[in-house]
């Protein structure tokens, strides 16, 4: 994958017969291997941006190009296949399968991959080797998020979409999780798009995109900071 | 509290499929109950009142022919006896009372029977018996005339009758000559009114009234027509003089009514001394013949019909209610699991467990409010055709339809109470946990022993297989619910397959083996060999002992009367077993072939032995085969052997199965044979008669079992919906991860398929044995046994149906799910 390009993307919701722009005329491009952080207050449109770029949600108008293919025009089936091959997801609330243990939760990600990576290595990378047969409810929040990261990475995605991945964690756990994400980006060259409302966390990115009211009002190159050096707001 | 209700009510709207399913389940249960009960209860109430008001007989009897006195022979003086008969009477005058041989007595009895003189025998002894047992009795007579498929029965009207008073529907009872009062149903169907002229056998009568005859509630005209045909069967009352002139075969017997107030409802009089162990049959002076038994059927059949219907209706509705309760339990449990955090918050801010649990009563409330009300009106609507089916069988006045308190509580309060208790109990148990526990993320699942074992067993299996089964076994409760619900559905579908066309099939099998048109029975024993017909020597006899093949005696409580039928090589009657093998070659001395009915009712098998007392000696017969007949109480033995046992020197017969057309019209039979004929029984008429009525039975069973199948369908839809709903997050997540629909189906939604199949397969033998048990229990009352089985083809069709219902449910629920955006679905709940 070379880059992701968004051209004049709009996402409109109808609320009581009024149009509400969750995304308004958004255009941007993301290069392979970049860590892009999207910063903004609640309701600014950052999660909506993440959802439409990842193909979880449809746009109202505009185009989103992956390798020059406009995914806006993809059918649901095609879009599923696109996610299957190219995308990994990390959510604030982990979304783990509660009936499965740690290892099985990671395997569920690996199972659909074309370029599988070694699960045992991955478990070591995320530091869960002692917990792999445990049920997920037995883990702490940070550990659960690491399972979620491992699951996302298990299929070796080109892009990792992270929606407030540390939102439910304390500083120490949060920084550890971010460290793992950066490590994965450096080792595997995975593009990461990370949404956050925490300005400190945004500092781990190569670019920081700031949003408000569904619009990008700043898109700046940033010098990456080590996650352990950032200020935790 | 009201806000909690409002919240639950709004939540209900999100689970449309589930609440609609509950409403439909309750509606079906109520429809069935109301439809069948409205019909049954009206007939039942009318029936018992009628028995008391019209002084209906408790039983009837005829004087026994065993006690013919020498003086009784004078009764034959004015009869036009044949030479053989005159010779027998002459012999009897010499040997009576004690020295006559059995053959002479057999002939003599047949002569008394033929000239209808039985009712004049044993007068003093009968009076003594009446005093001893406390009953009154009076003569009941009638004349039967047939005209093609039309049956007319003339009954003399006597306004001073004590027993079996007729019930006037309209007009008057006949007083003058050639006036008649006819059956009300017949008048209605044939569009006859009071004042109309009515002609039978070229004799004109004037209709002066319409009525019911209280001893013809279930108006069996003859044994050939066990079902009443209101278009062609008529009974009319006329004065004594008109009756005397009416031409037809006359029957005379005594109707009896016990003095004491015996309760008809529980048939207590049947437990009275005259019907007790010593029984009316053992009285020397009186006995019961076929006509007396038919009369019992005329009065009793309705009760035998009502009771199983009531039991079945109540039991079936209770089963449906129980299923609805289980479904509500599942839905409430799943809903609370989904709303665990919300419940936790409510508890955290101070709501009590009972207040929160009460809000889940919206399920039973809405279910009963809509389901039972809908079901009630549908039931009332459906009850009309059912009532007309019932009423066409019976002749009695019916009270108006009324809603009683019992009825109301059964329809509305019981379902509401039961479902409310179930909903509240399950909700309360789930919400009573501490708020922090409820607020905790995840379900606090522990990997159970079963899941661990399954994981170990499958450790070398492919990931997908391991994943599927570990997912299935980790929630044992869910697995149990799916299996139980599938079992319920399987039971209902099996019931549908057992019941569908059941009676028609039995009749086809039974009548398919009868290739003759008429059964001709004679009042004497003949020894000419009519080769074109099948000849039988028939005697009614009681089984005196039954012994299993291993020598152990088989107990039986009540007397078992069978027709012992001597046969040689029948051309028109197929006596075949289940595999269609001809059983006749197996007949030889001491061998006997019994019917499927007899075998089933008494647990008899091949090689078991039956004992009969013949001419004061006990004779043993070994069961050589069981022939396919579900109604018959006839057992077959070798005719020559039976003749010798009864003391005949030659092979004789007294019954003939014939295809000869002359027996359709008695005018075509020569006089000599006509004199000897006791009765002609048209098998084709019987077949037609039974089949036309059985169609109605099949129709009712079809409706009930179709409802059962619909319920099975609904249940599977619900369970599929529940599975999709509770995996909603997992399905969304897997879609996010890029799993295709087929893969999601394989991994999450289809994991229960093997369990559904397994539960269904188990349900087949369970339902077959359950129905068999019920039918065996009812067999004594309904008079025949019903083979309960389903074919492999039916089994496969049932399985496909249940899987289709399941996958339709999944497909439908997923369509709803697909409308929710993935990002929304994965939001924290």
């Amino acid at each position: 994958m070379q880059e992701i390009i968004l051209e004049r993307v709009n996402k409109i919701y109808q609320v009581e017969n009024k149009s509400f722009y969750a995304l308004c005329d958004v255009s941007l491009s993301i290069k392979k291997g970049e860590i892009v952080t999207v910063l903004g207050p609640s309701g600014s449109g950052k999660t909506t941006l993440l959802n439409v770029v990842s193909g979880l949600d449809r746009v109202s108008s505009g185009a989103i190009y992956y390798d020059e293919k406009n995914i806006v025009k993809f059918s649901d089936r095609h879009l599923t296949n696109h996610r299957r091959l190219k995308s990994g997801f990390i959510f604030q609330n982990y979304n783990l399968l509660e009936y499965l243990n740690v290892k099985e939760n990671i395997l569920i990600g690996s199972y659909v991959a074309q370029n599988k990576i070694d699960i045992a290595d991955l478990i070591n990378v995320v530091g869960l080797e002692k917990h792999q047969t445990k049920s997920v409810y037995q883990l702490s929040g940070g550990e659960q998020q690491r399972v979620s990261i491992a699951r996302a990475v298990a299929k070796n995605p080109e892009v990792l979409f992270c929606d407030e991945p540390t939102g439910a964690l304390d500083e120490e756990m949060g920084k550890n999780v971010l460290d793992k994400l950066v490590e994965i980006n450096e080792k595997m060259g995975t593009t990461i798009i990370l949404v956050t409302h925490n300005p400190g966390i945004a500092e781990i990115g190569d670019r920081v995109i700031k949003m408000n009211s569904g619009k990008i009002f700043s898109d700046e190159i940033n010098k990456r900071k080590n996650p352990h050096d950032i200020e935790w707001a | 509290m009201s806000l909690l209700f409002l919240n639950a009510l709004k939540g209900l709207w999100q689970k449309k499929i589930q609440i609609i399913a509950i409403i439909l389940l309750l509606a079906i249960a109520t429809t069935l109950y109301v439809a069948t009960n409205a019909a049954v209860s009206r007939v039942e109430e009318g029936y018992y009142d009628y028995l008391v008001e019209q002084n209906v007989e408790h039983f009837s009897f005829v004087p026994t022919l065993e006690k013919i006195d020498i003086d009784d022979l004078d009764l034959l003086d004015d009869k036009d006896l044949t030479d053989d008969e005159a010779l027998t009477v002459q012999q009897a005058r010499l040997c009576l009372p004690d020295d006559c041989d059995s053959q002479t007595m057999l002939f003599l009895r047949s002569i008394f029977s033929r000239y209808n003189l039985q009712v004049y025998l044993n007068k003093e002894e009968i009076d003594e018996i009446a005093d001893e047992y406390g009953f009154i009795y009076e003569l009941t007579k009638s004349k039967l005339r047939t005209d093609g498929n039309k049956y007319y029965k003339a009954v003399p009207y006597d306004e001073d009758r004590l027993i079996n008073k007729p019930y006037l529907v309209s007009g008057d009872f006949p007083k003058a000559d050639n006036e008649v009062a006819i059956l009300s149903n017949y008048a209605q169907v044939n569009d006859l009114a009071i004042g109309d002229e009515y002609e039978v056998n070229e004799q004109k009568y004037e209709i002066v009234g319409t009525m019911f005859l209280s001893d013809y509630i279930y108006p069996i005209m003859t044994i050939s027509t066990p079902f009443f045909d209101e278009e062609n069967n008529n009974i009319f009352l006329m004065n004594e003089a008109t009756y005397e002139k009416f031409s037809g075969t006359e029957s005379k017997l005594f109707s009896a009514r016990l003095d004491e107030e015996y309760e008809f409802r529980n048939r207590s009089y049947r437990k009275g001394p005259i019907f007790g162990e010593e029984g009316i049959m053992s009285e020397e002076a009186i006995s019961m013949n076929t006509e007396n038994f038919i009369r019992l059927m005329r009065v009793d059949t309705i009760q035998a019909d009502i009771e199983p219907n009531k039991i079945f209706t109540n039991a079936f509705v209770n089963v449906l209610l129980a299923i609805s309760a289980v479904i509500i339990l599942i839905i409430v449990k799943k809903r609370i699991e989904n709303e665990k955090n919300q419940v936790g918050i409510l508890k955290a801010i101070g709501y009590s467990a009972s207040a929160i649990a009460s809000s889940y009563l919206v399920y039973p409330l809405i279910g009963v409010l809509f389901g039972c009300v809908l079901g009630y009106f549908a039931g009332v609507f459906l009850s009309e055709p059912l009532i007309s089916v019932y009423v066409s069988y019976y002749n009695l006045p019916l009270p108006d339809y009324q809603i009683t308190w019992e009825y109301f509580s059964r329809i509305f309060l019981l379902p509401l109470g039961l479902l409310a208790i179930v909903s509240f109990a399950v909700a309360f148990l789930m919400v009573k946990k501490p708020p922090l526990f409820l607020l905790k993320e995840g379900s606090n699942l522990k990997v159970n022993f079963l899941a661990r074992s399954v994981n170990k067993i499958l450790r070398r299996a492919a990931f997908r297989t391991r994943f599927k089964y570990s997912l299935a076994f980790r929630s044992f409760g869910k697995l149990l619910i799916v299996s139980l619900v599938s079992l319920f559905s399987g039971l209902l579908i099996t019931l549908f397959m057992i019941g569908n066309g059941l009676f028609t099939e039995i009749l086809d099998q039974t009548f398919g083996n009868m290739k003759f048109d008429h059964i001709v029975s004679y009042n004497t024993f003949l020894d000419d060999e009519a080769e074109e017909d099948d000849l039988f020597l028939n005697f009614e006899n009681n089984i005196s002992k039954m012994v299993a093949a291993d020598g152990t005696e088989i107990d039986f409580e009540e007397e078992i009367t069978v027709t012992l039928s001597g046969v040689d090589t029948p051309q028109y009657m197929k006596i075949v077993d289940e595999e269609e093998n001809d059983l006749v070659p197996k007949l030889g001395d001491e061998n006997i072939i019994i019917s499927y009915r007899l075998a089933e009712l008494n647990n008899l098998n091949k090689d078991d032995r039956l004992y009969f007392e013949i001419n004061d000696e006990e004779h043993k017969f070994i069961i050589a085969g069981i022939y396919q007949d579900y109604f018959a109480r006839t057992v077959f033995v070798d005719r020559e052997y039976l003749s010798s046992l009864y003391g005949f020197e030659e092979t004789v017969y007294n019954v003939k199965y014939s295809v000869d057309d002359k027996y359709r019209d008695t005018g075509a039979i020569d006089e000599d044979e006509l004199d000897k004929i006791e009765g002609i029984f048209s098998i084709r008429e019987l077949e037609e008669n039974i089949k036309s009525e059985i169609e109605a039975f099949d129709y009712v069973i079809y409706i009930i079992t179709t409802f059962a199948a619909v319920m099975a369908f609904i249940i599977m839809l619900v369970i599929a919906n529940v599975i999709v709903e509770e995996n909603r997050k997992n399905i969304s997540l897997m879609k996010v991860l890029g799993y295709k629909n087929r893969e999601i189906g394989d991994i999450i939604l289809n994991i229960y398929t093997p369990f559904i199949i397994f539960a269904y397969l188990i349900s087949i033998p369970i339902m077959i044995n359950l129905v068999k048990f019920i039918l065996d229990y009812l067999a004594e009352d309904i008079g025949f046994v019903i083979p309960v089985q389903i074919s492999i083809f039916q089994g496969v069709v049932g399985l496909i149906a249940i899987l289709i219902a399941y996958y339709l449910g999944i497909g439908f629920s997923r369509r709803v799910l697909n409308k929710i955006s993935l990002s929304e679905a994965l939001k924290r709940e």
Side-chain angles (χ1 to χ4, degrees):
Chain A
M1 189 202 78
Q2 293 306 309
E3 57 186 352
I4 304 166
I5 298 168
L6 277 74
E7 284 180 1
R8 308 195 64 173
V9 169
N10 289 293
K11 177 72 182 176
I12 306 165
Y13 292 109
Q14 294 294 327
V15 182
E16 291 174 356
N17 293 330
K18 286 181 184 169
S19 297
F20 167 74
Y21 278 76
L23 290 178
C24 183
D25 225 12
V26 172
S27 297
L28 66 94
S29 67
I30 297 164
K31 293 194 178 74
K32 179 178 164 54
E34 268 188 324
I35 296 180
V36 177
T37 53
V38 182
L39 184 66
S42 183
S44 60
K46 53 190 191 302
T47 297
T48 309
L49 177 68
L50 190 84
N51 288 340
V52 297
V53 178
S54 64
L56 283 184
D57 213 347
R58 296 280 187 178
V59 297
S60 304
S61 64
I64 301 170
Y65 294 98
Y66 269 74
D67 294 339
E68 297 172 355
K69 287 176 192 153
N70 185 358
I71 67 162
V72 169
K73 294 186 175 167
F74 282 9
S75 65
D76 280 351
R77 218 174 107 240
H78 203 163
L79 207 54
T80 299
N81 208 36
H82 167 78
R83 285 199 305 270
R84 179 189 185 108
L85 298 176
K86 302 195 187 277
S87 312
F89 294 88
I90 298 164
F91 302 97
Q92 181 181 353
N93 55 332
Y94 328 132
N95 284 325
L96 298 176
L97 298 179
E98 58 191 15
Y99 290 107
L100 301 181
N101 65 25
V102 169
K103 191 179 175 185
E104 287 163 345
N105 261 290
I106 298 170
L107 278 168
I108 195 98
S110 158
Y111 181 65
V112 286
Q114 275 190 332
N115 308 309
K116 291 184 177 72
I117 59 172
D118 190 273
I119 294 297
D121 279 355
L122 186 61
I123 289 173
N124 285 340
V125 168
V126 292
L128 291 168
E129 58 275 24
K130 287 179 187 166
H131 305 296
Q132 52 183 312
T133 57
K134 282 184 182 170
S135 289
V136 290
Y137 84 93
Q138 290 174 296
L139 304 180
S140 67
E143 287 164 339
Q144 288 192 43
Q145 191 59 298
R146 277 188 276 153
V147 177
S148 167
I149 292 170
R151 181 182 64 191
V153 175
K155 63 177 181 174
N156 200 5
E158 292 180 3
V159 189
L160 206 49
F161 296 94
C162 312
D163 188 2
E164 301 272 12
T166 58
L169 304 175
D170 62 23
E171 182 176 349
E172 191 189 341
M173 277 188 190
K175 284 181 174 176
N176 283 336
V177 164
L178 293 175
D179 199 37
K180 292 297 170 199
L181 288 174
V182 172
E183 191 181 334
I184 285 159
N185 168 267
E186 286 169 354
K187 282 185 179 167
M188 300 164 72
T190 311
T191 307
I192 293 176
I193 302 173
L194 188 148
V195 162
T196 181
H197 66 278
N198 184 335
I201 291 172
E203 294 297 311
I204 69 161
D206 301 313
R207 275 168 68 191
V208 178
I209 295 171
K210 292 181 181 166
M211 291 188 73
N212 206 352
S213 304
K215 291 179 181 170
I216 293 175
F217 67 87
S218 110
D219 182 353
E220 292 170 354
I221 303 294
N222 182 53
K223 190 169 180 332
R224 273 191 204 184
K225 273 190 180 171
N226 184 312
H228 291 288
D229 297 337
I230 61 170
E231 269 185 44
W232 195 266
Chain B
M1 184 76 173
S2 58
L3 275 177
L4 287 184
F5 261 107
L6 189 66
N7 176 50
L9 203 60
K10 282 183 174 173
L12 208 66
W13 188 242
Q14 305 301 317
K15 314 279 179 194
K16 285 191 275 289
I17 295 179
Q18 294 172 9
I19 192 64
I20 288 172
I22 290 174
I23 289 172
L24 284 177
L25 286 176
L26 288 171
I28 289 175
T30 314
T31 303
L32 278 177
Y33 181 77
V34 172
T36 47
N37 240 45
V40 170
S41 61
R42 270 181 76 188
V43 174
E44 186 186 25
E45 273 176 41
Y47 170 61
Y48 289 114
D49 290 348
Y50 188 62
L51 290 177
V52 174
E53 281 161 19
Q54 306 309 121
N55 244 13
V56 176
E57 68 188 39
H58 282 112
F59 64 97
S60 67
F61 64 88
V62 285
T64 177
L65 283 163
E66 297 298 317
K67 295 193 72 179
I68 299 176
D69 223 338
I70 194 155
D71 297 338
D72 295 329
L73 297 178
D74 298 343
L75 292 166
L76 296 165
D77 285 350
D78 61 341
K79 304 294 173 200
D80 190 13
L81 302 178
T82 64
D83 291 347
D84 283 351
E85 287 169 347
L87 187 65
T88 305
V89 172
Q90 211 174 342
Q91 279 174 346
R93 283 193 191 280
L94 298 173
C95 60
L96 278 174
D98 299 322
D99 295 329
C100 293
D101 60 66
S102 59
Q103 201 168 354
T104 307
M105 286 311 291
L106 265 176
F107 273 120
L108 191 60
R109 283 172 202 141
S110 70
I111 295 165
F112 267 82
S113 174
R114 185 182 155 200
Y115 292 102
N116 232 333
L117 296 169
Q118 208 166 340
V119 286
Y120 301 108
L121 301 173
N122 318 338
K123 181 83 178 83
E124 283 166 20
E125 287 98 325
I126 296 170
D127 286 341
E128 278 173 29
I129 294 169
D131 280 347
E132 188 185 339
Y133 291 108
F135 64 81
I136 54 165
Y137 67 100
E138 64 186 6
L139 184 67
T140 295
K141 56 185 181 180
S142 63
K143 286 180 184 170
L144 178 74
R145 179 165 191 94
T146 60
D147 179 8
N149 64 342
K150 293 182 188 300
Y151 284 77
Y152 303 103
K153 189 166 262 194
V155 177
Y157 172 66
D158 175 1
E159 60 185 343
D160 298 325
R161 269 194 83 84
L162 299 171
I163 304 172
N164 301 330
K165 294 176 184 170
Y167 179 91
L168 191 67
V169 177
S170 62
D172 292 305
F173 283 120
K175 300 264 170 43
D177 288 354
N178 293 330
E179 281 183 353
V180 289
I182 66 173
L183 275 189
S184 171
N185 296 18
Y186 180 86
Q188 253 175 15
V189 173
N190 291 286
D191 216 12
L192 292 168
I194 293 167
D196 285 358
E197 199 175 71
Y198 181 62
E199 190 175 324
V200 178
N201 193 32
E202 295 171 0
Q203 173 66 50
K204 287 178 180 153
Y205 301 98
E206 187 199 343
I207 299 171
V208 294
T210 60
M211 51 88 203
F212 295 131
L213 275 182
S214 56
D215 48 341
Y216 284 83
I217 294 170
Y218 184 68
I220 308 169
M221 301 295 275
T222 74
I223 198 160
S224 288
T225 55
F227 293 100
F228 180 63
D229 172 0
E230 54 195 340
E231 191 182 341
N232 294 308
N233 297 171
N234 190 20
I235 305 174
F236 31 80
L237 283 173
M238 48 186 62
N239 70 12
E240 187 70 36
T242 312
Y243 173 79
E244 285 306 321
K245 282 187 223 153
F246 186 85
S247 155
T249 314
E250 188 167 37
S251 154
K252 287 179 184 171
L253 45 78
F254 292 112
S255 293
R257 192 168 162 89
L258 291 151
D259 295 342
E260 292 172 39
E261 276 307 307
Y262 283 95
E263 182 59 60
F264 264 107
R265 198 171 280 268
N266 58 18
R267 289 291 184 268
S268 61
Y269 65 94
R270 288 288 163 74
K271 293 163 196 142
I274 201 156
F275 281 95
E277 240 171 72
E278 294 303 311
I280 192 166
M281 298 296 286
S282 66
E283 286 295 341
E284 287 189 357
I286 63 172
S287 66
M288 293 181 82
N289 62 17
T290 315
E291 177 67 14
N292 299 127
F293 283 112
I294 291 175
R295 290 183 71 78
L296 282 180
M297 283 168 72
R298 285 183 188 137
V299 178
D300 280 5
T301 301
I302 187 166
Q303 193 191 29
D305 198 6
I306 288 168
E307 289 306 319
N309 264 311
K310 273 173 67 182
I311 293 169
F312 179 76
T313 309
N314 280 311
F316 191 63
V317 167
N318 287 340
V319 168
L320 298 188
L321 206 53
I323 293 173
S324 304
V326 170
I327 297 291
I328 275 205
L329 184 149
I330 294 169
I331 291 174
V332 170
K333 183 173 178 291
K334 293 294 163 200
R335 175 128 191 238
I336 295 176
E337 275 172 10
N338 288 342
E339 294 172 355
K340 202 162 64 87
N341 282 12
Q342 179 188 297
V343 172
I345 290 162
L346 287 172
K347 285 202 78 180
I349 61 177
Y351 282 91
S352 69
S354 57
I356 299 168
S358 301
S359 69
Y360 289 96
L361 292 177
V362 287
Y363 280 100
L365 276 174
I366 299 285
V368 169
L369 193 67
F370 288 94
C372 293
V373 171
L374 189 72
Y376 172 76
F377 287 109
V380 170
F381 177 73
L382 266 182
S383 72
E384 284 308 316
L386 263 180
I387 288 172
S388 62
V389 168
Y390 262 114
V391 172
S392 73
Y393 292 152
Y394 305 116
N395 277 247
L396 77 168
L398 291 183
D400 289 336
Y401 172 66
Q402 282 176 332
I403 288 200
T404 59
W405 168 247
E406 184 193 347
Y407 207 57
F408 179 78
S409 59
R410 186 70 181 74
I411 295 168
F412 298 107
L413 299 187
L414 180 69
L416 182 64
L418 176 74
L419 301 184
I421 288 169
V422 167
S423 307
F424 184 81
V426 71
F428 185 76
L429 284 174
M430 290 185 76
V431 304
K432 74 172 188 179
K433 295 186 174 96
L436 273 181
F437 179 89
L438 294 163
L439 284 166
K440 201 172 168 187
E441 191 69 28
S443 312
N444 303 313
L445 288 167
K446 286 185 180 144
V447 181
N448 59 41
F449 172 75
L450 192 64
R452 280 203 305 272
S453 308
V454 170
N455 260 1
K456 270 185 192 165
I457 294 165
L458 296 174
R459 66 179 179 276
R460 290 189 197 288
F463 169 70
R464 195 149 128 175
T465 313
R466 269 190 300 136
F467 181 87
K468 276 164 73 169
Y469 288 101
S470 54
L471 203 60
F473 279 99
R474 283 206 187 164
S475 175
F476 185 68
K478 197 192 301 171
L479 191 65
L480 194 70
I481 285 170
V482 173
S483 305
L484 267 179
V485 166
S486 307
L487 186 79
F488 282 147
S489 301
L491 291 174
L492 294 171
I493 285 180
T494 308
L495 181 68
F496 171 73
M497 288 184 298
I498 291 172
N500 215 354
L502 177 70
F503 287 113
T504 310
E505 206 171 301
I506 296 168
L507 288 175
D508 284 344
Q509 275 185 31
T510 303
F511 285 104
N513 291 334
M514 299 176 183
K515 305 291 181 197
F516 50 91
D517 295 329
H518 297 96
I519 298 176
V520 185
S521 49
Y522 294 93
N523 52 32
T524 186
F525 300 94
L526 307 170
D527 57 8
D528 61 298
E529 287 301 316
E531 284 180 7
E532 64 276 16
D533 299 315
D534 289 347
L535 306 177
F536 297 83
L537 176 62
N538 285 5
F539 291 100
E540 296 287 304
N541 207 331
N542 295 329
I543 298 174
S544 57
K545 195 162 66 174
M546 299 195 287
V547 177
D550 63 6
T552 52
E553 197 161 325
I554 300 167
D555 290 336
F556 57 104
E557 282 173 11
E558 287 177 21
E559 211 163 60
I560 302 171
T561 305
V562 297
T563 304
L564 203 50
S565 180
V567 61
D568 22 43
T569 46
Q571 314 163 58
Y572 307 118
M573 172 76 186
K574 276 167 71 185
I575 304 173
V576 293
D577 66 10
E578 215 173 350
E579 281 90 35
E580 292 286 307
N581 299 314
D582 186 7
L583 296 172
V584 175
K586 294 190 174 181
L587 283 177
D589 291 359
E590 292 200 353
N591 278 356
I592 192 165
I593 295 167
I594 65 169
S595 66
Y596 179 82
R597 172 184 186 265
L598 196 66
E600 274 292 300
L601 285 179
N602 302 290
N603 288 324
L604 292 170
N605 294 301
K606 201 167 163 278
D607 296 330
D608 291 349
R609 281 152 240 164
L610 301 183
Y611 289 79
F612 292 92
E613 211 167 277
I614 300 170
N615 280 343
D616 299 330
E617 272 182 51
E618 195 168 63
H619 293 274
K620 177 180 79 180
F621 291 91
I622 299 164
I623 298 173
I626 295 165
Y627 71 99
Q628 283 306 94
D629 195 315
Y630 309 102
F631 302 91
R633 48 187 194 91
T634 304
V635 294
F636 294 104
V637 294
D638 182 67
R639 184 157 70 102
E640 196 177 335
Y641 182 62
L642 191 66
S643 292
S644 70
L645 290 182
Y646 273 94
F648 294 102
E649 286 172 7
E650 292 172 83
T651 304
V652 295
Y653 69 92
N654 57 358
V655 173
K656 185 156 88 179
Y657 291 4
S658 176
V659 291
D660 197 330
D661 264 356
K662 70 179 181 186
Y663 295 112
R664 291 175 69 86
D665 175 10
T666 44
I669 306 170
D670 70 68
E671 215 166 291
D672 185 38
E673 186 181 1
L674 197 58
D675 270 350
K676 293 171 188 162
I677 290 175
E678 189 178 74
I680 299 171
F681 185 97
S682 166
I683 204 75
R684 297 282 79 92
E685 230 169 75
L686 174 71
E687 181 180 4
E688 212 173 282
N689 184 259
I690 292 181
K691 275 190 172 170
S692 67
E693 297 303 328
I694 282 295
E695 269 171 24
F697 273 116
D698 264 345
Y699 172 71
V700 173
I701 286 181
Y702 180 76
I703 289 181
I704 289 174
T705 54
T706 302
F707 272 50
V710 170
M711 286 195 76
F713 210 71
I714 295 170
I715 291 167
M716 289 314 292
L717 285 176
V718 171
I719 200 68
N721 179 257
V722 166
I723 288 171
V724 171
E725 280 287 322
E726 75 170 11
N727 279 296
R728 175 183 167 151
K729 203 171 143 189
N730 292 347
I731 293 167
S732 302
L733 178 70
M734 292 184 82
K735 282 179 82 174
V736 167
L737 291 176
Y739 278 81
K740 294 173 183 163
N741 281 343
R742 186 177 47 79
E743 290 168 328
I744 296 172
D746 278 352
I747 292 176
I748 294 185
L749 300 174
N750 302 349
I751 55 174
Y752 297 110
T753 308
F755 303 98
I756 292 170
I757 295 172
F758 182 66
Y760 169 75
L761 292 177
I762 290 179
S763 73
I764 296 176
I766 292 177
M767 187 42 105
I768 286 178
N769 281 304
L770 190 69
V771 173
K772 220 171 179 172
F773 174 77
I774 295 169
L775 290 177
D776 281 353
Y777 179 73
L778 294 175
E780 288 290 345
D781 284 337
I782 59 179
F784 56 92
V785 290
I786 299 170
V788 180
Q789 56 197 21
I790 65 167
S791 64
I792 292 175
F793 174 73
Q794 285 177 306
V796 172
V797 169
L799 180 60
I800 292 170
I802 210 166
L803 288 176
I804 285 177
Y806 178 64
Y807 287 113
L808 264 181
I810 281 181
F812 189 65
S813 309
R814 275 181 60 172
R815 276 188 58 189
V816 176
L817 191 62
N818 286 343
K819 287 180 188 162
I820 304 165
S821 84
L822 292 177
S823 51
E824 283 297 310
L826 288 172
K827 273 188 179 167
R828 190 189 190 106
E829 280 172 354

